[in-house]
Amino acid sequence: MRGLKVLPSGRPGRGRLYVNLPDGRSVAWYDRQANRISVLADDHREAVLAALRPYLSGAVTIGPPPVPTAADLRRLAMPPDADLAPNRPGETLLGELEHGPAGTRTRHRLRQDLTAQTRMGDAFDALEPDGWRTLHHVPLAGLGHLDHLLIGPAGVYCVRTVPGRRQRAAVGDLLLTVGRTPPRPDPRWIRRAAAGVGRALEVAVTPALALVDASRLAVAPTVRDIRVLQHPTATPDLLAAPAVLEPPDVEALFALARDTRTWLPAPRRPTPPCPGRRPGRR
């Protein structure tokens, strides 16, 4: 059948591919991770295979859609503009570099931060075949944005990325120092962020600091509650950690975490005036 369109959904190169009719109705989708084609209309089966053929690799399973899980139902009910899964690392930094101040020093610092977040984000995204799910640039009420949120077999990690700038970095209980720059309150911030994420997801969350391109790294022996990661050894360390979550738990937490409404409070509705009372009078 001519006129079928293949459209991506989710993060580029990682989400599903949907096959739609000219009027926009979906007739099938291809789940790249499971290597499965779910066909909604069997009379379009051959046309769907022809449309998806350029995107297929290896042995592909074809059949009706599987019974939706609770995570699937939550994702289907989520408004498209509430989905955090397509977020790129450093979304705000991209906007600041494009429309922000023209000062050379400021732009150089923004580029360093963006490069560190992008490299760390790419490394975390590469863990997806091993059962990990990653969100970038997660809004947290009162705290700004969390660089990365990892959910996988070894648990849930809140990650703040710090560019090492090829200098010595030192992590203490309250402050982090890179080279001769003024100390940063990253340890305190990531603890607060992890506590907030834990309350929202109702699960234990590990705060983590990820150093990128630090020449040397020193961690105070009293820092025991924060996981300190260093690029490029961060992902092997996570893969070697003992498993505490089953795959269904990972998917359920990811479905909850990718919804913006999990993190931002609902807008307050104005309170209607009491009957018989004039506005402005007590």
Side-chain angles (χ1 to χ4, degrees):
M1 177 181 178
R2 295 184 178 180
L4 292 182
K5 296 182 179 179
V6 179
L7 300 174
S9 174
R11 192 171 300 138
R14 298 182 182 274
R16 290 178 174 178
L17 292 176
Y18 283 86
V19 183
N20 294 349
L21 294 171
D23 62 3
R25 287 182 299 152
S26 295
V27 292
W29 69 78
Y30 172 43
D31 189 328
R32 304 187 204 203
Q33 183 180 356
N35 216 16
R36 174 187 171 87
I37 300 175
S38 297
V39 182
L40 297 172
D42 200 57
D43 53 331
H44 295 309
R45 184 186 183 101
E46 295 302 323
V48 165
L49 287 174
L52 286 174
R53 189 165 289 118
Y55 307 96
L56 304 179
S57 60
V60 179
T61 305
I62 306 171
V67 176
T69 63
D72 292 330
L73 294 174
R74 184 180 182 91
R75 177 183 55 79
L76 292 171
M78 181 171 48
D81 59 350
D83 191 0
L84 297 174
N87 279 7
R88 299 167 295 177
E91 289 277 357
T92 300
L93 298 176
L94 290 167
E96 290 181 8
L97 279 170
E98 185 174 355
H99 305 291
T104 303
R105 182 173 297 180
T106 300
R107 294 183 68 83
H108 179 65
R109 179 182 58 79
L110 291 174
R111 287 194 188 95
Q112 287 182 323
D113 290 342
L114 178 59
T115 299
Q117 290 193 32
T118 300
R119 291 179 61 188
M120 207 70 247
D122 290 344
F124 291 146
D125 286 341
L127 292 172
E128 188 167 336
D130 296 291
W132 288 80
R133 301 290 178 265
T134 307
L135 292 170
H136 308 291
H137 199 66
V138 178
L140 301 180
L143 289 176
H145 287 82
L146 175 67
D147 295 339
H148 317 284
L149 178 62
L150 274 71
I151 305 172
V156 181
Y157 291 78
C158 278
V159 183
R160 187 172 180 91
T161 298
V162 180
R165 301 184 177 90
R166 294 185 171 82
Q167 299 180 48
R168 181 182 182 274
V171 180
D173 280 317
L174 302 178
L175 298 172
L176 180 150
T177 306
V178 177
R180 298 182 179 180
T181 59
R184 306 161 43 128
D186 297 88
R188 286 178 289 178
W189 190 94
I190 198 62
R191 285 191 184 99
R192 290 179 59 197
V197 170
R199 289 191 295 268
L201 300 182
E202 297 183 352
V203 69
V205 176
T206 301
L209 295 172
L211 278 295
V212 179
D213 284 341
S215 61
R216 286 186 298 165
L217 176 61
V219 181
T222 51
V223 179
R224 298 172 182 173
D225 59 327
I226 297 177
R227 183 75 178 267
V228 181
L229 306 170
Q230 193 170 10
H231 189 279
T233 60
T235 50
D237 290 346
L238 291 173
L239 290 175
V244 296
L245 293 177
E246 296 293 333
D249 300 324
V250 172
E251 295 302 331
L253 288 169
F254 179 65
L256 180 61
R258 68 190 290 181
D259 192 335
T260 307
R261 296 169 296 180
T262 300
W263 310 110
L264 301 180
R268 292 184 178 179
R269 295 182 179 180
T271 304
C274 295
R277 179 174 293 179
R278 294 181 182 178
R281 295 185 62 182
R282 297 183 180 178

